[in-house]
Amino acid sequence: MKEYKALTEISAIQYCENLGFFHTGGKLKCVEIGDGNLNLVFRILDESENRSVIVKQALPYARIVGDVMPLTLDRARIEADALRIQGKYCNDMVPEVYHFDKDLAVTVMEDLREYEVMRKGLIQSTIYPKFAQDIALFLARTLFYTSDFCMLEDTKKKLVAQFINPELCKITEDLVFTEPYFDVPNNHYDIEIIETVMELRQDADLLREVFGLKYKFMTEAQALVHGDLHTGSIMVRQDRLKVFDPEFSFYGPMGFDIGAIIANLLLSYAAHRYEENQDLFLEWILSSIAKLWLHFEVEFRVLFQSCHNKKFSEFLHIENDILTALLRDSLGFAGCKMIRRVIGLAHVADLDQILNKTIKNKAEILSLHIGRDLIKQRGSIQGMDGLVSLVKLEQ
Ligand code: SR1
Ligand code: MG
């Protein structure tokens, strides 16, 4: 067993050389490019051959706050295992894992140099025409194939055990479902929006619904979810995407991943809503949410009908009930995820980088209002058309 040590740009190069990833004698360059909240991410490039890999290492604490927040290294194992499973069902939609090292919590994986982080593209109002269709396929396949709708009972339960991820789930339980609704030191937000924050905290009906969603998150082991599927966990090009960073993976409610995508698209919508000349982009965001669900539903029904594990599909039209409940859950989780990104510890750049304070605060308040309404009205929202109308009506 090797002793854990955080890599540096120099030792990351040596690490790859020892593994024989590059031809000896090649001149290797290494840059630490991690911009997430938790890990180190190195890009190692052999310029002469124009070949590169990513070396990702979990730190024994959360990078965003430092060693006051210790964090399990086991998340690196969870991530590597999840990438392999997702790759099995969605070949080419996740980075390929070349090597995993449990002792150092290091994964060496495919570099996606020709892709960009989706959140950065959205901040520039970039439209991705294929996004909705592609992410719907990723969601339908990864969620369906790892669920009881498809897996044999014992296989699925073994996977539930393999993906027990208590520390990272606890982060979500605290940061998404609890802290935003209480006055705790982790939270931060502009004083200008305090009135809206207080309104949410005093809304007993809202708190009851959020608790119900938290309980679902904690208890419903429906499928192997990515667990943190925001637009910073997706790399995109105009014609395709790759989903990465599934260290929060665990067996949870399917709607948690779908809701994460909806939330992050709507946060981008809110961030651009008060900017000039954004009509086309705003329409694209809303139509993408509608399309996502449409494609998801079609693919999910096909998988459900063709599934070899017939114990559920024997019941006529049970998929209608499943999809209705799933849409409701997805909207509720989306709402929670919007609210946490405005009030809680970890914000999103879409809102944080808005320079005009008045516009920033209007966009934040809009996000809070949409989030609240998704949570409270999710049972009566009529499909994605209903969601689009609700969003457009918000001022
Ligand atoms: C302490 S970690 C903060 C956030 O970063 C991750 O991306 C998750 O969203 C988590 O909640
Ligand atoms: Mg992440």
Side-chain angles (χ1 to χ4, degrees):
M1 188 169 156
K2 285 175 286 209
E3 197 193 337
Y4 177 87
K5 209 171 170 207
L7 292 173
T8 62
E9 289 181 352
I10 292 170
S11 61
I13 289 184
Q14 283 160 359
Y15 186 82
C16 283
E17 281 179 334
N18 291 343
L19 288 170
F21 275 115
F22 296 98
H23 290 130
T24 41
K27 205 162 175 337
L28 301 183
K29 253 193 170 175
C30 176
V31 193
E32 206 280 315
I33 55 167
D35 63 354
N37 295 326
L38 301 180
N39 308 297
L40 292 172
V41 182
F42 300 93
R43 167 175 286 141
I44 320 263
L45 172 71
D46 181 340
E47 276 180 325
S48 54
E49 296 198 352
N50 197 22
R51 249 174 30 82
S52 57
V53 295
I54 291 293
V55 174
K56 178 170 178 179
Q57 184 179 39
L59 289 163
Y61 52 84
R63 188 175 181 168
I64 185 176
V65 275
D67 54 13
V68 290
M69 190 173 179
L71 206 51
T72 177
L73 295 176
D74 190 45
R75 67 187 194 271
R77 173 193 65 84
I78 296 264
E79 174 169 346
D81 285 358
L83 283 174
R84 286 182 172 131
I85 292 174
Q86 291 161 347
K88 184 165 131 196
Y89 300 125
C90 293
N91 185 24
D92 221 27
M93 285 183 133
V94 295
E96 189 181 340
V97 173
Y98 302 138
H99 173 80
F100 173 64
D101 181 331
K102 186 172 180 296
D103 299 336
L104 294 186
V106 162
T107 309
V108 183
M109 63 183 109
E110 182 184 354
D111 188 7
L112 306 170
R113 267 194 292 159
E114 68 278 27
Y115 293 73
E116 68 174 342
V117 176
M118 185 171 183
R119 190 181 304 290
K120 290 190 182 153
L122 292 181
I123 289 172
Q124 305 300 325
S125 308
T126 310
I127 285 174
Y128 300 100
K130 278 199 73 234
F131 172 71
Q133 195 175 339
D134 289 349
I135 199 71
L137 197 74
F138 176 85
L139 288 164
R141 291 195 180 162
T142 57
L143 298 176
F144 178 83
Y145 282 124
T146 60
S147 75
D148 280 299
F149 302 133
C150 176
M151 287 199 142
L152 293 174
E153 293 86 338
D154 55 340
T155 318
K156 185 246 177 176
K157 287 183 182 68
K158 280 180 194 144
L159 271 189
V160 174
Q162 184 183 336
F163 283 93
I164 293 287
N165 196 357
E167 286 190 34
L168 277 80
C169 283
K170 177 77 165 77
I171 290 180
T172 305
E173 287 149 22
D174 291 344
L175 268 52
V176 178
F177 296 108
T178 313
E179 293 184 357
Y181 306 94
F182 296 91
D183 188 13
V184 300
N186 270 344
N187 293 330
H188 60 105
Y189 46 85
D190 292 343
I191 193 71
E192 289 82 354
I193 68 164
I194 194 162
E195 220 175 284
T196 312
V197 172
M198 289 307 164
E199 266 169 34
L200 296 192
R201 288 185 182 160
Q202 284 154 12
D203 185 339
D205 293 334
L206 175 69
L207 298 195
R208 189 176 302 113
E209 295 300 329
V210 172
F211 177 76
L213 287 158
K214 177 177 176 177
Y215 190 65
K216 257 182 191 294
F217 176 85
M218 296 174 82
T219 56
E220 292 194 4
Q222 294 179 340
L224 181 64
V225 297
H226 177 287
D228 197 24
L229 194 41
H230 53 78
T231 45
S233 297
I234 303 172
M235 303 287 282
V236 267
R237 299 186 344 185
Q238 281 297 301
D239 60 337
R240 65 178 65 176
L241 60 77
K242 298 241 189 198
V243 173
F244 67 109
D245 208 18
E247 63 197 319
F248 281 77
S249 267
F250 77 112
Y251 258 83
M254 296 186 183
F256 194 68
D257 277 357
I258 303 170
I261 300 286
I262 296 172
N264 280 270
L265 289 174
L266 288 175
L267 286 164
S268 174
Y269 173 92
H272 290 286
R273 168 84 171 258
Y274 305 104
E275 245 178 66
E276 283 179 2
N277 303 322
Q278 293 296 313
D279 291 357
L280 201 64
F281 181 73
L282 295 176
E283 274 308 317
W284 171 74
I285 291 266
L286 296 182
S287 68
S288 294
I289 296 174
K291 252 198 213 167
L292 181 168
W293 182 255
L294 195 80
H295 286 285
F296 176 88
E297 197 174 335
V298 169
E299 181 70 11
F300 195 88
R301 284 179 190 279
V302 168
L303 294 173
F304 200 90
Q305 286 307 324
S306 64
C307 179
H308 296 303
N309 181 5
K310 295 280 182 204
K311 63 184 177 295
F312 283 100
S313 42
E314 275 162 13
F315 300 97
L316 213 54
H317 299 317
I318 194 174
E319 62 267 43
N320 289 340
D321 299 343
I322 292 162
L323 284 162
T324 304
L326 185 50
L327 178 58
R328 202 169 49 224
D329 288 358
S330 303
L331 297 181
F333 288 128
C336 295
K337 282 176 164 267
M338 292 186 76
I339 292 174
R340 62 83 55 120
R341 293 297 187 190
V342 178
I343 302 179
L345 172 71
H347 286 203
V348 284
D350 312 57
L351 294 168
D352 276 1
Q353 56 81 44
I354 300 175
L355 295 175
N356 181 318
K357 194 79 183 291
T358 311
I359 291 189
K360 175 174 183 277
N361 294 151
K362 279 176 86 171
E364 288 168 335
I365 291 172
L366 177 64
S367 302
L368 293 178
H369 284 162
I370 295 175
R372 175 199 60 199
D373 293 346
L374 289 182
I375 296 168
K376 288 176 74 174
Q377 297 175 31
R378 67 189 189 283
S380 56
I381 292 173
Q382 294 299 311
M384 286 307 178
D385 288 346
L387 175 129
V388 168
S389 314
L390 180 151
V391 170
K392 284 187 171 169
L393 279 174
E394 301 276 3
Q395 288 313 309

